Amino acid sequence: MSFSINSTVREILADEQAKGVVESVLPGFAKHPQIGMAKGLSLKTLAKFSGGVMTDEVLAKIDTGLKAL
């Protein structure tokens, strides 16, 4: 399966390598108390609700890592 920032949180968390990429850029992402409510959203969409934590720079790093899998 190929991943990108357009992949859903559910898809990413279900794959240990993809989850590791996101966790390497955003430590604690998978265990965030509100992440369960966002599983149907893409990372790109989730970024809009992240209060500036998931900036364009952060998303670019994650996207590069996910596409390399």
Side-chain angles (χ1 to χ4, degrees):
M1 175 177 222
S2 61
F3 296 99
S4 73
I5 58 170
N6 293 311
S7 300
T8 65
V9 171
R10 179 180 293 109
E11 293 168 328
I12 290 167
L13 294 180
D15 184 276
E16 287 300 316
Q17 287 183 310
K19 182 171 124 180
V21 167
V22 176
E23 286 281 334
S24 72
V25 179
L26 292 170
F29 175 82
K31 293 185 180 183
H32 190 282
Q34 295 178 334
I35 205 65
M37 295 183 294
K39 288 187 177 179
L41 301 177
S42 69
L43 287 178
K44 187 175 181 178
T45 300
L46 182 60
K48 296 175 186 177
F49 305 103
S50 73
V53 173
M54 294 175 73
T55 62
D56 289 342
E57 182 181 336
V58 168
L59 285 175
K61 286 179 184 178
I62 292 171
D63 200 44
T64 299
L66 290 173
K67 287 180 177 177
L69 294 178

